[in-house]
Amino acid sequence: MNIETRLVPTFADIEAAARRVHGVAVRTPLINSPALDDRLGAHVFLKAETLQRMGSFKFRGAYNKCSSIPQEKRAAGVVAYSSGNHAQGVAAAAKLLGMPAVIVMPADAPRPKRERTAALGAEVVLYDRDTEDRAGIAKKIMQDRGATLVPPFDDPFIIAGQGTAGLEIVDDLAKLGLKPDLAVIGASGGGLAAGISLAMKTRVPETVFYTAEPEDFDDTLRSFKSGQRETNARMSGTICDALMTERPGELTFPITSKLIGQGVTASDAEVGKAVAYAFHELKLVVEPGGAIGLAALLAGKLDVKGKVVVGVLSGGNIDPELFCRLIAD
Amino acid sequence: MNIETRLVPTFADIEAAARRVHGVAVRTPLINSPALDDRLGAHVFLKAETLQRMGSFKFRGAYNKCSSIPQEKRAAGVVAYSSGNHAQGVAAAAKLLGMPAVIVMPADAPRPKRERTAALGAEVVLYDRDTEDRAGIAKKIMQDRGATLVPPFDDPFIIAGQGTAGLEIVDDLAKLGLKPDLAVIGASGGGLAAGISLAMKTRVPETVFYTAEPEDFDDTLRSFKSGQRETNARMSGTICDALMTERPGELTFPITSKLIGQGVTASDAEVGKAVAYAFHELKLVVEPGGAIGLAALLAGKLDVKGKVVVGVLSGGNIDPELFCRLIAD
């Protein structure tokens, strides 16, 4: 059964995605900081997807999905809805594959994200986060133009693409003679968490995973506890703009609930401190949503003493104004 | 003849330094950015010494020097004069080796720098820039306590230590099946430029090197032209605080003039743009002095088209206020 029919991605799909993105996606470094190790009393490795093409992991899944579109459907292009990072990933992937792209984006998305998407040649359609339905707008564009939807997370090609980061993490640790004990992965729709946990758990089954989410946007954690997909009460009100999704995905949740099943949260204040820590100590630019796992680690939410710990710095696209406010506090 | 007697470091000294710093210094990633490649029409690799222990390459040389001190002299400790990256590198190296360290710093050095150095357990001795001589103070501490001086650049162990970054660059490129065509290295006293050019040129003799310096602080470039060590007219007046040295070193200059022999300069405005580019596009925090090579590349000072180009992001210790001024539109 092929990947489109069975919908559930497998480890082999992640390996296939790795072959597709090879030489196109950046093989991002797995960063170790002696200062962070000393602070946490652990051996901590951060997968710097901030250094990925377009500044977040999203390019991986987007490129894997776009390159799966049959030749005869490519001229009609792709459409995506996104708060920003997925938009840039899709726009960059479409450009590299010579396909037109339409991106449906909230009007309050950080300016750099809007500008970069347009600079990649994508058509940007803005909508109001509180009153309009982005999925509906995208659906109309699909019908009108025959464009293929590139979903932000709920797609087997997207999940498999994000999973390629997990393969690289395990490979890089193996080169150091290490295996991961614990990994903390930010969760919004769950594409990254599903892909990385599937990749890492297949290779190192004893790894223990946690999702990390903003306080009050802990739909994944609540879903783990109730066993069904729970919904966030709001769709605004955290500095982690990349982590505001209504609920876990239909395809991602069965994977994350089985392979991860537990999670932690961090407050906006804790996330802000993590962004500042990344600036002062790690010399890395990390956006709030991309720093959620680091925030949980720094705030002591996880028992990491003596362990080989993996975190993912999932994105670095932050407004300079917000960045400067956070690093000054 | 051993390294102390002959003073001139060799490739074997760099290999010995690499064995000493292994597992202690961070093996920093060699970063490639598709966006930067596209902009320059070259295959560009940036050695991210911003991610080194204490945020700059200085730890490499400091650790190599400190670990060369004979056991019987270690209890008397080390002394260094610096208000910046070298101070932190020496303090961190001494701490790891269990040696006391005295850092001679100007009384008007920013408090955070004093505090960071003191937090590493170093004794900070303040002096008055206008009335006192830091070298004299350091000499007195050497005499009184029997402490060993750790010079900022003019020492064969320091040069060999900085050269370990060059070995890593060539090794990492080789893993990608590449060889460097051109490398641009920031020059102040010349320790990094001498060490890296010695390491890289020995392994890949056809590599062409350039130093990069701030405009009006181009003592190295003028020295290359005149064939003797020229002096900077001023010791203040550039945002590249890490690159203000009186003149090239007595030991470093013979190496850089032979192996490099040419250079470029960048204005403070060009350096500021490079710091901003690193934030917006590379998601890296780079201090002005650490961005001088990138500034020269972005400003088009070098013919890099189609070449495999190496730059060094030598440090990331920047004041948040200055950083925010530089990254603002």
Side-chain angles (χ1 to χ4, degrees):
Chain A
M1 195 159 44
N2 71 21
I3 183 170
E4 287 95 338
T5 317
R6 63 182 147 75
L7 289 174
V8 181
T10 63
F11 185 74
D13 295 327
I14 298 175
E15 289 182 310
R19 287 190 293 273
R20 277 192 210 104
V21 305
H22 179 77
V24 187
V26 174
R27 198 185 196 293
T28 56
L30 191 63
I31 289 173
N32 172 249
S33 154
L36 182 58
D37 280 6
D38 286 351
R39 173 158 167 171
L40 297 179
H43 210 170
V44 185
F45 295 89
L46 300 172
K47 181 65 169 169
E49 284 297 293
T50 49
L51 308 181
Q52 186 50 267
R53 211 183 256 270
M54 308 318 295
S56 93
F57 72 94
K58 289 286 191 178
F59 176 79
R60 294 176 184 268
Y63 190 85
N64 191 44
K65 174 69 176 176
C66 290
S67 59
S68 80
I69 296 170
Q71 213 59 47
E72 67 273 16
K73 287 206 72 182
R74 291 195 180 186
V78 291
V79 59
Y81 43 89
S82 160
S83 67
N85 286 332
H86 179 57
Q88 290 182 60
V90 172
K95 190 185 179 192
L96 281 165
L97 293 162
M99 297 162 72
V102 182
I103 309 295
V104 183
M105 208 178 247
D108 63 349
R111 203 185 61 195
K113 294 183 180 177
R114 296 205 309 267
E115 289 177 351
R116 273 153 198 280
T117 306
L120 287 160
E123 182 184 337
V124 175
V125 175
L126 297 176
Y127 76 98
D128 185 315
R129 229 190 249 269
D130 294 319
T131 62
E132 289 184 282
D133 169 34
R134 62 185 188 172
I137 296 169
K139 199 169 180 185
K140 187 162 186 328
I141 292 165
M142 285 170 67
Q143 287 164 346
D144 291 352
R145 311 192 189 190
T148 303
L149 181 71
V150 182
F153 49 85
D154 233 357
D155 181 284
F157 288 101
I158 298 289
I159 297 167
Q162 321 305 30
T164 60
L167 286 187
E168 294 172 9
I169 290 168
V170 173
D171 283 348
D172 283 0
L173 286 176
K175 282 176 199 156
L176 300 171
L178 297 172
K179 280 184 180 182
D181 294 314
L182 185 155
V184 55
I185 315 167
S188 182
L192 183 69
I196 287 189
S197 60
L198 180 56
M200 290 180 68
K201 195 98 181 169
T202 305
R203 294 277 295 277
V204 187
E206 60 271 31
T207 311
V208 172
F209 294 89
Y210 293 85
T211 53
E213 293 171 288
E215 273 178 19
D216 302 330
F217 295 85
D218 58 343
D219 52 307
T220 299
L221 180 55
R222 285 183 290 111
S223 302
F224 286 157
K225 287 177 180 167
S226 75
Q228 59 190 22
R229 294 189 297 139
E230 303 290 343
T231 304
N232 283 317
R234 295 175 287 151
M235 283 297 281
S236 63
T238 166
I239 57 170
C240 302
D241 60 282
L243 300 181
M244 284 184 288
T245 304
E246 214 176 346
R247 70 178 75 82
E250 206 177 327
L251 303 182
T252 58
F253 183 64
I255 300 170
T256 57
S257 61
K258 186 181 164 200
L259 301 183
I260 303 181
Q262 56 189 345
V264 290
T265 63
S267 67
D268 273 11
E270 287 164 344
V271 168
K273 278 183 191 163
V275 171
Y277 183 89
F279 167 80
H280 290 289
E281 298 292 337
L282 307 178
K283 312 301 176 189
L284 295 172
V285 178
V286 189
E287 66 181 277
I292 188 85
L294 178 62
L297 289 171
L298 291 173
K301 305 278 171 97
L302 291 160
D303 176 21
V304 296
K305 278 273 178 301
K307 293 176 183 164
V308 174
V309 176
V310 171
V312 182
L313 303 175
S314 51
N317 295 317
I318 182 170
D319 250 338
E321 292 77 13
L322 174 59
F323 190 74
C324 290
R325 213 168 68 224
L326 295 176
I327 68 172
D329 288 347
Chain B
M1 195 160 43
N2 70 20
I3 183 170
E4 286 95 337
T5 317
R6 61 183 149 73
L7 290 174
V8 182
T10 64
F11 184 74
D13 295 326
I14 298 175
E15 289 181 309
R19 286 189 294 273
R20 277 191 210 106
V21 305
H22 178 77
V24 186
V26 174
R27 199 185 193 294
T28 56
L30 192 62
I31 289 172
N32 173 249
S33 154
L36 182 59
D37 279 6
D38 286 351
R39 172 156 168 173
L40 297 179
H43 209 171
V44 185
F45 295 89
L46 300 172
K47 181 65 169 167
E49 283 297 295
T50 49
L51 308 182
Q52 186 50 264
R53 214 183 255 269
M54 306 318 295
S56 93
F57 72 94
K58 287 286 188 177
F59 176 79
R60 294 178 184 268
Y63 189 86
N64 191 45
K65 175 68 177 177
C66 290
S67 60
S68 80
I69 296 170
Q71 213 60 47
E72 67 274 15
K73 286 205 73 185
R74 290 196 181 185
V78 292
V79 59
Y81 42 89
S82 161
S83 60
N85 289 332
H86 180 56
Q88 290 185 49
V90 173
K95 189 186 179 190
L96 281 165
L97 292 162
M99 296 163 70
V102 182
I103 309 294
V104 182
M105 254 188 199
D108 61 352
R111 209 181 61 189
K113 283 187 175 173
R114 299 208 309 263
E115 287 176 351
R116 261 177 111 83
T117 307
L120 287 160
E123 180 185 341
V124 175
V125 172
L126 301 175
Y127 73 97
D128 186 321
R129 267 184 212 269
D130 298 323
T131 61
E132 293 182 281
D133 166 36
R134 62 181 190 173
I137 294 168
K139 199 170 180 184
K140 188 162 184 324
I141 292 165
M142 288 169 67
Q143 288 165 346
D144 291 352
R145 312 191 188 189
T148 304
L149 181 72
V150 182
F153 50 85
D154 233 358
D155 179 285
F157 288 100
I158 298 288
I159 297 167
Q162 321 305 30
T164 60
L167 285 188
E168 293 173 8
I169 291 168
V170 174
D171 282 348
D172 283 0
L173 286 175
K175 283 176 200 156
L176 300 170
L178 298 171
K179 280 183 181 184
D181 294 315
L182 184 156
V184 55
I185 315 167
S188 181
L192 183 70
I196 287 189
S197 61
L198 180 56
M200 291 180 66
K201 195 99 182 168
T202 304
R203 293 276 296 276
V204 187
E206 59 271 32
T207 311
V208 172
F209 294 88
Y210 293 85
T211 53
E213 293 172 287
E215 273 178 20
D216 301 330
F217 295 84
D218 60 342
D219 52 307
T220 300
L221 180 55
R222 286 184 288 109
S223 301
F224 286 157
K225 288 176 179 166
S226 74
Q228 59 190 22
R229 294 189 296 140
E230 302 290 344
T231 303
N232 283 318
R234 294 175 289 151
M235 283 295 281
S236 64
T238 167
I239 57 170
C240 302
D241 59 285
L243 300 180
M244 284 183 290
T245 304
E246 214 177 344
R247 70 178 75 82
E250 206 177 327
L251 304 182
T252 58
F253 183 65
I255 300 170
T256 57
S257 62
K258 186 181 165 200
L259 301 183
I260 303 181
Q262 56 190 344
V264 290
T265 62
S267 67
D268 273 9
E270 288 164 344
V271 168
K273 278 183 192 164
V275 172
Y277 183 89
F279 168 80
H280 291 288
E281 298 291 337
L282 308 177
K283 313 301 177 189
L284 295 172
V285 177
V286 189
E287 66 182 275
I292 188 86
L294 178 62
L297 290 171
L298 291 172
K301 304 280 172 93
L302 291 160
D303 176 20
V304 297
K305 278 271 179 301
K307 293 176 183 163
V308 175
V309 176
V310 171
V312 182
L313 304 175
S314 51
N317 295 316
I318 183 171
D319 205 46
E321 291 76 19
L322 173 59
F323 190 73
C324 289
R325 214 168 68 223
L326 296 177
I327 68 171
D329 294 339

